[in-house]
Amino acid sequence: MSNTDMTQQSERVALQLRYQSPSEAHADHVQLIGQLNRSDVKLEATLQEPLIFRETMAALFAIVSSDYRYAPKDRQAYAAFMQMRRAHQNQGLAKAQRAYFDWLLKNDPLGFCILDPIISVYPNGVVFEVFSKDEGSYAMLSFDYKHFNLQGTPVYGTTNIDFSDSLAQGLEQMRSFKASTLSIGQTAVGLDTVSSTAQPDSTVLEKQVQVPNSWIRGFLQVQASAQLPTDKITLNPLDVYNLLHHLRMHADIKGKRRGLRLELIPGRYPSIILEPNDVVLDTQTEVYKGKQAKIIRLWGRRRLNLLKRILPFTETIEVGLLGNGMPSFWTMHGKGWHLTLAITGFTAANWSQALNFDLLLPRDLNHMEKVTPLLKVLEQQWVLSLEELVKQTGLNRAECRSALLQACQQGLVMYDVGANVYRYRPLTVEPLDMSHFQFRQPAEKLAYDLVHRQKALSQWQTLLLPGEGVEIAATITVKEDKRDYLAKLKLNEEGQVVKAECSCHQIMQHGLTQGPCSHLIALRIAYALRQAERNVATISQETRAFSRRKASQVEQIQLTLNEQRVFFTHEQAAKIRRQQMAFNSVNAARHAYLDKIQQLEASGFIDSTLG
């Protein structure tokens, strides 16, 4: 085996999913087959609302199979797949599926790089979890028991279920005028008609899945981020329908912005602004209850199309916002169910935005003295709120939150956004080795080490580029190499890296084809930390943008502090007015800059620096 193959193998987790038979929906009976190598989880029930179950499960299947990454056509792989399909077309369903997974493992090991949906049966309901193949969407679907007529006593626990195209097609046959039943367990329930799983050639279905570490890491971190502080707004399903209708009728323009801006002003209804033409969709559901006006810009708006089928059954939509370009949580509430879609705002390839998101989460996962007692309580109670956990564990609120965040990042606990409770849910049979998921790559580990060294980063330079972004540079001293490296990054207004340079051998020889070096990552992390620890009393360089909307007209102001100068740019109705002020000292310029910001905010302008 070559070094490249060994490296790729170490960046994946080999999982074996064994099922007695494929899951299927047949004769108004939905059978979800759980893993044989996990504890048996059972549920027998009659569905009270088959249409709601059908549409929510269809949305779940759309999310888990979604992949918005660009993929060029590969006709050779298609020809090989069709040859394999013809060779096994007369075999039973179980053998055909096993042959398909064997072929996929040999020919395209990353083609099926997702876990089957995770299902958990709790004392208060059933929960499904999925994470999309492109690492851009996480979804959690929860049904209360009021949605079912239970038959017998459920067996609580967590497992994976086989979720295939044939199951999705079977669910589409469900109708409201037909009574439908749901069975969850390791073995299939006998049906009156003979199905493919009853054929003589049916055997245990095995899937050898090579899951990339980045996929599991994204799954854990996005789910853990749900409990971080967020700005929350409430929307009507019609608001999201209008949003999706506009996206459907207006294609994205290449080279133009494709973001989604939410304009939040305390005491007013939120406004949704669609780029690049700044189309404003006003909402009338609930006013924004935050204390500070802000504009939050999101990416991945096309992923909201995955929710279109459940909009008719949705009563209210709650949106949780972490910040510009950060994950957003869209929770659809209906009668006896809720579905939370988390749009991450970044992909695995966007290391700039991904690193920025990582700064929100703790990295030290070695302290288990407070996590262990919390897990013991959750193992017994299954579902508890934060207040109940504080009472039963004896930890204070801050300690309990920290322990829960670590448990979520280790795949042992999940946070239910819609119900505001924590659920015990081990992601895999064996505990995950967190040393494989703490950092995306060795270069990232070295970068964090450099950031925390004293005087490793020096000679900082920050060049503000109005209308373009910011250019940062620093000298990075590496004692092991006995030399200094000059690293430069150019970030656009969205915080993404558009240009990167470094004097190290890797970048000089290969550029970014082998990924960013540790010096560039360290520079990006250090800059984000400096921004987070920004002290207005000591700043000497900064650019802020403000906007004020009147009907469809937008008035924009850009204010820049650069040492002893303050630059003022006013744009309204295609007219631009510029002003420059010079001062005798940085302190005087800073005071003038901050005073101007207060005047703008008092006049109704909103800080839209990153929006």
Side-chain angles (χ1 to χ4, degrees):
M1 182 180 294
S2 64
N3 293 334
T4 303
D5 294 337
M6 294 178 63
T7 302
Q8 293 178 349
Q9 189 70 20
S10 64
E11 294 177 353
R12 304 174 195 159
V13 177
L15 297 176
Q16 184 181 35
L17 306 178
R18 303 180 70 249
Y19 304 101
Q20 184 66 44
S21 59
S23 298
E24 64 176 0
H26 185 78
D28 304 320
H29 187 177
V30 180
Q31 296 190 121
L32 302 180
I33 307 299
Q35 281 185 256
L36 293 175
N37 50 341
R38 296 192 74 157
S39 59
D40 195 8
V41 177
K42 292 184 178 180
L43 177 74
E44 296 286 339
T46 302
L47 299 175
Q48 293 188 358
E49 297 287 347
L51 282 187
I52 294 179
F53 186 83
R54 182 190 74 187
E55 296 304 302
T56 52
M57 292 297 290
L60 204 69
F61 183 75
I63 294 170
V64 72
S65 57
S66 64
D67 190 349
Y68 284 82
R69 296 171 297 184
Y70 171 74
K73 292 182 179 179
D74 186 353
R75 301 194 179 277
Q76 291 183 351
Y78 177 74
F81 167 72
M82 291 302 297
Q83 181 180 357
M84 181 276 300
R85 185 175 180 180
R86 288 191 294 268
H88 298 86
Q89 62 182 356
N90 295 324
Q91 297 188 9
L93 177 62
K95 281 190 175 181
Q97 285 194 352
R98 186 170 65 251
Y100 169 70
F101 291 122
D102 291 341
W103 174 87
L104 204 59
L105 181 62
K106 295 177 181 178
N107 296 274
D108 188 8
L110 294 182
F112 186 78
C113 62
I114 59 175
L115 285 174
D116 283 332
I118 302 164
I119 185 172
S120 302
V121 178
Y122 293 105
N124 64 344
V126 181
V127 173
F128 297 84
E129 283 183 280
V130 298
F131 195 54
S132 65
K133 182 179 177 180
D134 63 359
E135 305 177 26
S137 305
Y138 163 87
M140 192 218 68
L141 172 63
S142 175
F143 288 106
D144 297 337
Y145 281 139
K146 64 178 68 174
H147 196 78
F148 308 106
N149 290 323
L150 294 179
Q151 301 173 2
T153 303
V155 177
Y156 308 139
T158 298
T159 187
N160 292 90
I161 58 169
D162 173 51
F163 205 168
S164 59
D165 289 332
S166 60
L167 174 61
Q169 294 172 6
L171 291 172
E172 295 292 346
Q173 307 304 316
M174 298 178 67
R175 296 294 183 267
S176 60
F177 56 85
K178 295 182 180 180
S180 300
T181 58
L182 171 66
S183 299
I184 301 174
Q186 291 182 347
T187 57
V189 178
L191 302 176
D192 295 336
T193 57
V194 178
S195 66
S196 59
T197 56
Q199 297 297 332
D201 62 351
S202 296
T203 57
V204 174
L205 173 62
E206 295 190 14
K207 299 181 183 180
Q208 302 286 345
V209 185
Q210 299 284 343
V211 184
N213 288 349
S214 61
W215 189 93
I216 295 182
R217 189 172 188 268
F219 182 97
L220 298 175
Q221 291 205 323
V222 171
Q223 207 286 320
S225 68
Q227 57 181 301
L228 296 176
T230 59
D231 291 295
K232 294 184 179 180
I233 61 174
T234 302
L235 301 177
N236 189 281
L238 189 59
D239 299 326
V240 177
Y241 171 80
N242 292 333
L243 167 63
L244 297 181
H245 179 266
H246 183 274
L247 294 178
R248 181 183 178 187
M249 303 303 294
H250 300 81
D252 293 336
I253 302 175
K254 187 176 182 179
K256 299 290 185 178
R257 287 190 167 198
R258 305 178 186 180
L260 178 72
R261 300 204 306 270
L262 296 173
E263 191 176 89
L264 310 178
I265 302 176
R268 297 187 186 180
Y269 293 107
S271 296
I272 303 174
I273 305 170
L274 299 172
E275 298 175 346
N277 298 322
D278 288 345
V279 176
V280 182
L281 303 178
D282 294 319
T283 66
Q284 299 291 328
T285 305
E286 184 177 300
V287 299
Y288 175 58
K289 299 179 181 179
K291 297 181 180 180
Q292 182 181 3
K294 59 183 66 177
I295 294 179
I296 297 179
R297 187 163 183 259
L298 306 176
W299 290 267
R301 62 185 185 182
R302 288 285 176 183
R303 291 186 173 94
L304 293 176
N305 278 303
L306 300 170
L307 301 174
K308 60 186 178 183
R309 291 188 60 167
I310 60 176
L311 283 178
F313 305 97
T314 303
E315 296 178 346
T316 59
I317 301 174
E318 292 182 356
V319 184
L321 306 168
L322 281 175
N324 291 285
M326 295 292 101
S328 58
F329 299 86
W330 301 69
T331 303
M332 326 286 283
H333 289 276
K335 293 182 179 179
W337 66 272
H338 63 267
L339 185 147
T340 299
L341 172 66
I343 303 175
T344 63
F346 60 85
T347 63
N350 188 355
W351 59 274
S352 173
Q353 285 296 108
L355 289 175
N356 194 24
F357 167 58
D358 287 346
L359 297 176
L360 298 175
L361 301 170
R363 290 200 160 270
D364 190 0
L365 304 176
N366 297 321
H367 301 292
M368 294 293 294
E369 63 273 7
K370 295 177 182 177
V371 178
T372 302
L374 182 142
L375 290 176
K376 290 182 178 179
V377 173
L378 273 176
E379 284 184 43
Q380 298 174 354
Q381 303 291 327
W382 292 101
V383 183
L384 290 173
S385 65
L386 177 62
E387 290 72 18
E388 293 170 335
L389 283 168
V390 170
K391 291 180 181 179
Q392 297 193 29
T393 59
L395 303 173
N396 60 45
R397 194 178 183 88
E399 292 174 339
C400 196
R401 275 190 176 278
S402 177
L404 285 167
L405 194 55
Q406 289 194 23
C408 286
Q409 286 191 276
Q410 296 181 42
L412 301 174
V413 174
M414 64 163 290
Y415 175 61
D416 188 337
V417 179
N420 193 25
V421 295
Y422 293 88
R423 302 178 184 271
Y424 178 71
R425 188 267 294 126
L427 180 62
T428 54
V429 180
E430 300 294 332
L432 294 170
D433 184 358
M434 297 309 299
S435 62
H436 294 160
F437 308 103
Q438 192 171 8
F439 302 99
R440 284 184 172 83
Q441 51 184 316
E444 186 179 336
K445 183 177 181 180
L446 293 174
Y448 275 92
D449 182 51
L450 289 172
V451 170
H452 291 93
R453 292 184 187 181
Q454 290 186 353
K455 299 181 180 180
L457 279 77
S458 59
Q459 300 181 22
W460 269 91
Q461 296 179 4
T462 304
L463 177 61
L464 303 172
L465 305 172
E468 297 183 34
V470 62
E471 191 172 84
I472 57 177
T475 298
I476 301 177
T477 303
V478 182
K479 296 181 179 179
E480 293 81 357
D481 297 348
K482 296 182 180 181
R483 61 168 296 185
D484 297 338
Y485 299 97
L486 178 60
K488 293 183 179 180
L489 287 175
K490 182 180 178 181
L491 310 178
N492 62 13
E493 293 178 322
E494 301 171 357
Q496 296 177 325
V497 175
V498 295
K499 185 178 180 181
E501 299 177 2
C502 185
S503 60
C504 69
H505 178 268
Q506 176 184 334
I507 301 300
M508 296 288 288
Q509 178 108 11
H510 306 285
L512 292 175
T513 57
Q514 296 185 355
C517 64
S518 58
H519 318 112
L520 290 174
I521 297 177
L523 180 63
R524 182 66 181 90
I525 295 171
Y527 177 73
L529 291 174
R530 287 166 69 98
Q531 292 295 103
E533 299 171 356
R534 167 181 167 271
N535 185 358
V536 296
T538 60
I539 59 173
S540 60
Q541 290 183 326
E542 185 179 72
T543 295
R544 303 275 291 276
F546 298 84
S547 63
R548 181 170 61 183
R549 182 180 300 278
K550 292 182 180 180
S552 59
Q553 297 294 324
V554 180
E555 184 179 0
Q556 295 181 330
I557 290 178
Q558 182 173 284
L559 198 61
T560 299
L561 169 65
N562 192 354
E563 300 298 338
Q564 296 175 281
R565 296 177 182 271
V566 176
F567 300 89
F568 180 86
T569 303
H570 183 204
E571 181 178 354
Q572 185 178 19
K575 295 182 179 180
I576 300 177
R577 180 169 59 90
R578 293 184 173 88
Q579 183 180 1
Q580 180 180 158
M581 295 171 284
F583 299 86
N584 294 328
S585 65
V586 175
N587 191 43
R590 184 189 305 116
H591 281 296
Y593 172 76
L594 297 176
D595 289 343
K596 189 62 178 178
I597 290 177
Q598 291 181 354
Q599 294 174 14
L600 292 174
E601 292 179 342
S603 302
F605 283 88
I606 306 174
D607 189 346
S608 58
T609 303
L610 296 177

